[in-house]
Amino acid sequence: MKYLYDAGTEDGKKLLLLHGTGGDETSLVDIARFLDGGCEILSFRGEVKEDGMNRFFKRNGLNQFDLDSLEEETDKLYEEIKQISAEKNVPLSDWILVGYSNGANIAAHLLLERETELTQGLFFHPMSLGVHEKQFSLKEKRIWLSFGQGDPIVTLESFNELAASFEQRGADLTIKQTSQGHQLSAEEVNHARNWLHHIPL
Ligand code: MLT
């Protein structure tokens, strides 16, 4: 997979970025640097094309997810993460997955459906993909999710289903709701920054 890597400073957080539909490996870089100025960045470009737009897995229309593609691409992504982490000498447990929309969806799926040493996730505007195969404990995971009450794509029901998947399996879950839509807002990004730096919310 195509990716961007920046070593950042020695004490920077290690942020693994996954863009939304139509984005690329550069889309979340400014947000990442806002979240943590000296962050180490590993940012992937989704390999699935939809009318020229990059995505991390196929869909057959809005919110009509291709679950075979989802599983296949999740495995591919995880293999890439493991390989590059080994090359860069980063323990998997040090990464904080940072995803927006489609990138958040595949990242959440990776944490929910694969037993990995990845432990932290910061997911902007994710939703449930309706897959609930695994039941292993998530009590080592620290997860932050955002939801926009005016989101035309992510319903409250779908967001709540995703949040429950993490919560019921023991994850340490933080939720930030705003009155906004599907786009990133300054309010949620500031909240995410405080969560990342363990500042009481
Ligand atoms: C998107 O437009 O990216 C959707 O909201 C999320 C997805 O398709 O995974």
Side-chain angles (χ1 to χ4, degrees):
M1 286 174 86
K2 213 165 174 177
Y3 67 90
L4 171 157
Y5 176 76
D6 180 342
T9 59
E10 211 176 308
D11 59 350
K13 304 268 185 204
K14 298 177 191 316
L15 305 184
L16 196 158
L17 312 181
L18 297 155
H19 62 78
T21 302
D24 66 19
E25 64 279 17
T26 65
S27 302
L28 294 176
V29 167
D30 287 348
I31 299 279
R33 298 218 170 99
F34 175 78
L35 292 172
D36 185 66
C39 61
E40 181 169 347
I41 292 174
L42 172 58
S43 182
F44 288 98
R45 178 187 295 188
E47 288 193 318
V48 167
K49 292 274 186 218
E50 182 186 278
D51 299 331
M53 294 187 297
N54 301 314
R55 283 180 55 84
F56 286 96
F57 57 91
K58 289 184 201 154
R59 65 177 171 182
N60 307 308
L62 186 64
N63 298 350
Q64 306 293 310
F65 303 116
D66 179 329
L67 298 182
D68 292 334
S69 167
L70 172 67
E71 298 305 339
E72 202 175 302
E73 298 299 329
T74 301
D75 286 334
K76 271 207 253 173
L77 176 65
Y78 183 41
E79 286 308 314
E80 291 273 342
I81 292 173
K82 282 193 286 191
Q83 191 185 321
I84 298 164
S85 303
E87 279 166 28
K88 308 290 183 198
N89 228 355
V90 179
L92 287 181
S93 55
D94 282 7
W95 289 119
I96 298 145
L97 302 178
V98 178
Y100 167 61
S101 188
N102 179 241
N105 288 347
I106 194 165
H109 187 70
L110 174 57
L111 294 186
L112 289 164
E113 295 291 323
R114 301 289 183 279
E115 291 199 56
T116 78
E117 287 168 25
L118 297 161
T119 52
Q120 300 198 74
L122 211 160
F123 302 141
F124 297 102
H125 305 276
M127 68 180 91
S128 173
L129 302 176
V131 181
H132 307 283
E133 295 291 323
K134 302 284 168 30
Q135 283 305 322
F136 57 85
S137 167
L138 298 174
K139 70 174 174 5
E140 307 301 330
K141 316 280 184 202
R142 186 168 171 261
I143 307 295
W144 181 99
L145 306 177
S146 71
F147 173 71
Q149 285 151 357
D151 194 326
I153 296 171
V154 180
T155 63
L156 179 60
E157 189 189 10
S158 174
F159 177 80
N160 283 343
E161 186 177 318
L162 178 72
S165 304
F166 281 112
E167 202 150 47
Q168 286 165 4
R169 290 165 58 190
D172 172 352
L173 184 65
T174 301
I175 291 173
K176 173 63 182 167
Q177 292 214 23
T178 71
S179 57
Q180 306 289 309
H182 198 62
Q183 75 281 12
L184 288 170
S185 68
E187 186 186 346
E188 72 192 300
V189 177
N190 275 308
H191 193 275
R193 188 172 192 261
N194 289 344
W195 176 88
L196 194 62
H197 293 276
H198 297 255
I199 296 167
L201 300 167

